[in-house]
């Protein structure tokens, strides 16, 4: 029966030709790079005409600098692809989180998998669009002189860069010892030239200790080398000058901040003055962390949400409440979940000034 082996071989060859090749049931388009400011990146997932399974899509950090799902990118949308009869292509979108951190490029992998099919995968690099602005305060400013804080971007940006500032009291008092100031400094795209913030100090005839105040700094989209600058006014009146150095205390107060929590119409946190200090006093300011993907338009740029003052003895702790206005509560409730950061500007009994911050993601109902 010489025809039977030949017939069996023909049947086997036809079966092999009809079966999809291993590893070729699904493919995913390559997207080597995406800007952090893009908002999302879209991939095309193709399948062979005979593949019946619906694949799942997963993302994970990869490469030398892995991106973090949830922080740098969101979950794929959709997570499962459903093909109709005759369909061979579907798209999947991965959200990209645009934060204000100046960081290196980060990688993530998108994987397509289905029962009985070989995995398909592609890797994408998120190119950061943020820069760091260096903050350089003066060493000291003579009484009656002008304190100048210099701000310098480390690199050119493809967009405008903005830094907001506001003075805060320390041992130096506003109006009596310095002229309060607040405003913004802006660099157009591509500009890295230094900019300055100038604050006038007052001349008096009092023989007093050197005094200090702070300049709070914030950027809606970029990173600052320091969230505040300490400015010291050097007294120039008669007598022997007494400074924090001559008193022997030159250590900034290292205030400890506890967890941020919501409590009705306010946000609360615990502050602790170090035991080595005689006393701590200062101001707490709460800001949202801006995100261009925020569901509420007003929270896509930085806003001051609340403020409060505190005073406590060394080694003691106190729960501080930051009251939220009705309008602010409305914005936060619309957003439901908001990333916030509290900044503390603290002065100790010797006049040393320091800044501390604490961040958290809070839910508002």
């Amino acid at each position: 029966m010489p025809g039977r082996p030949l017939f069996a071989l023909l049947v086997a060859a036809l079966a092999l030709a009809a079966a999809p090749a291993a590893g070729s049931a699904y493919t995913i388009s390559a997207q080597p790079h995406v800007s952090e400011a893009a908002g999302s990146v879209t991939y095309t997932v193709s399948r062979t005409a005979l593949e019946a399974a619906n694949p799942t899509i997963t993302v994970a950090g990869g490469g030398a600098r892995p991106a973090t799902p949830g922080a740098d990118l969101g979950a794929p949308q959709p997570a499962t692809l459903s093909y109709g009869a005759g369909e061979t292509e579907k798209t999947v979108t991965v959200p990209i989180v645009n934060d204000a951190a100046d960081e290196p490029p980060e990688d993530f992998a998108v994987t397509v998998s289905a029962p009985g099919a070989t995995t398909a995968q592609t890797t994408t690099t998120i190119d950061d669009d943020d820069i760091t602005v260096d903050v350089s305060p003066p060493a000291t400013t003579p009484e009656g002189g002008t304190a100048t804080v210099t701000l310098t971007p480390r690199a050119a940006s493809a967009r405008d860069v903005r830094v907001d500032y506001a003075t805060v009291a320390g041992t130096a008092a506003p109006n009596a010892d310095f002229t309060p100031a607040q405003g913004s400094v802006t660099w157009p795209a591509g500009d890295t030239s230094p900019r300055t913030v100038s604050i006038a100090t007052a001349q008096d005839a009092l023989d007093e200790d050197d005094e200090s105040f702070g300049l709070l700094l914030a950027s809606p989209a970029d990173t600052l080398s320091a969230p505040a600058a300490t400015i010291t006014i050097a007294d120039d009146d008669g007598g022997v000058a007494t400074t924090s150095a001559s008193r022997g205390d030159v250590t900034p107060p290292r205030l400890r901040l506890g967890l941020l929590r919501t409590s009705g119409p306010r946000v609360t946190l615990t502050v602790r003055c170090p035991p080595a200090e005689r006393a701590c006093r200062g101001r707490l300011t709460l800001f949202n962390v801006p995100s261009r993907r925020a569901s509420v338009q007003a929270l896509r740029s930085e806003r001051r949400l609340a403020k409060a003052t505190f005073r406590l003895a060394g080694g003691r702790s106190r729960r501080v409440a930051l009251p939220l206005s009705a309008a602010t509560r409305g914005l936060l409730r619309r957003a439901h979940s908001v990333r916030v950061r509290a900044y503390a500007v603290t002065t100790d009994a010797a006049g040393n000034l320091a800044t501390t911050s604490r961040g958290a993601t809070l839910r508002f109902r």
Side-chain angles (χ1 to χ4, degrees):
M1 302 281 296
R4 291 182 63 83
L6 179 60
F7 176 76
L9 287 173
L10 287 172
V11 171
L14 288 171
L16 286 172
S24 63
Y26 290 99
T27 59
I28 183 170
S29 62
Q31 298 286 1
H33 291 267
V34 61
S35 169
E36 185 184 67
S40 64
V41 56
T42 300
Y43 305 85
T44 299
V45 179
S46 304
R47 68 167 185 169
T48 61
L50 296 177
E51 177 57 50
N54 290 322
T56 58
I57 313 297
T58 56
V59 293
R65 298 187 185 94
T68 304
D72 299 309
L73 63 146
Q77 302 170 355
T80 301
L81 298 180
S82 298
Y83 291 85
E87 283 189 302
T88 59
E89 288 188 353
K90 286 285 188 181
T91 59
V92 60
T93 298
V94 176
I96 303 299
V97 177
N98 190 10
D99 57 30
D102 185 10
E103 53 197 350
E106 297 172 315
D107 302 328
F108 67 93
V110 183
T111 302
V112 184
S113 57
T118 302
T119 297
Q121 189 177 82
T122 189
T123 298
T124 299
T125 298
I126 303 174
D127 294 320
D128 184 64
D129 69 337
D130 304 302
I131 64 165
T132 294
V133 178
D134 285 322
V135 180
S136 302
T140 59
T141 299
E143 191 177 76
T146 299
T148 301
V149 177
T150 303
L151 307 174
T152 310
R154 291 183 184 176
S157 175
R159 49 170 173 75
D160 290 356
V161 174
R162 192 185 91 221
V163 173
D164 302 322
Y165 63 86
T167 51
V168 291
T171 52
N175 297 311
D177 297 309
F178 67 93
T179 302
Q182 66 177 38
S184 299
V185 179
T186 303
W187 292 260
D191 188 1
T192 60
S193 59
R195 298 278 197 275
T196 57
V197 177
S198 298
I199 304 104
T201 67
Q203 177 75 59
D204 60 33
L206 298 174
D207 180 16
E208 55 190 348
D209 294 347
D210 290 354
E211 297 173 311
S212 61
F213 65 96
L215 184 70
L216 279 179
L217 300 158
S219 175
D222 293 294
T223 300
L224 294 161
S225 63
T230 301
I231 299 168
T232 300
I233 304 172
D235 182 66
D236 64 351
D237 300 302
V240 178
T242 57
T243 66
S244 59
S246 65
R247 292 190 300 270
D249 182 3
V250 294
T251 304
R254 303 189 182 281
L255 191 78
R256 296 189 62 180
L257 301 181
L259 295 177
L260 288 155
R261 304 179 188 277
T262 55
S263 178
R266 61 186 65 87
V267 172
T268 65
L269 80 165
T270 300
V271 298
R272 177 174 173 77
C273 183
E277 300 291 350
R278 283 191 296 154
C280 297
R281 63 184 177 89
R283 174 183 293 183
L284 280 167
T285 309
L286 184 71
F287 295 90
N288 66 298
V289 177
S291 170
R292 293 182 186 177
R293 294 191 60 80
S295 58
V296 178
Q297 178 75 30
L299 297 177
R300 294 180 185 177
S301 58
E302 188 176 64
R303 298 173 62 92
R304 188 179 70 183
L305 305 177
K307 63 180 181 178
T309 58
F310 60 89
R311 183 189 296 266
L312 64 163
R316 300 297 297 272
S317 298
R318 177 187 163 195
R319 194 79 179 162
V320 179
L322 295 114
L324 303 169
S325 69
T328 297
R329 291 200 306 273
L331 286 176
L332 299 176
R333 285 170 178 165
R334 284 166 54 200
H336 302 300
S337 178
V338 180
R339 182 74 181 169
V340 300
R341 181 164 290 275
Y343 291 94
V345 180
T346 309
T347 305
D348 64 13
N352 300 303
L353 187 144
T355 60
T356 316
S357 68
R358 182 72 184 251
T361 298
L362 300 179
R363 296 186 180 278
F364 297 89
R365 298 178 181 176

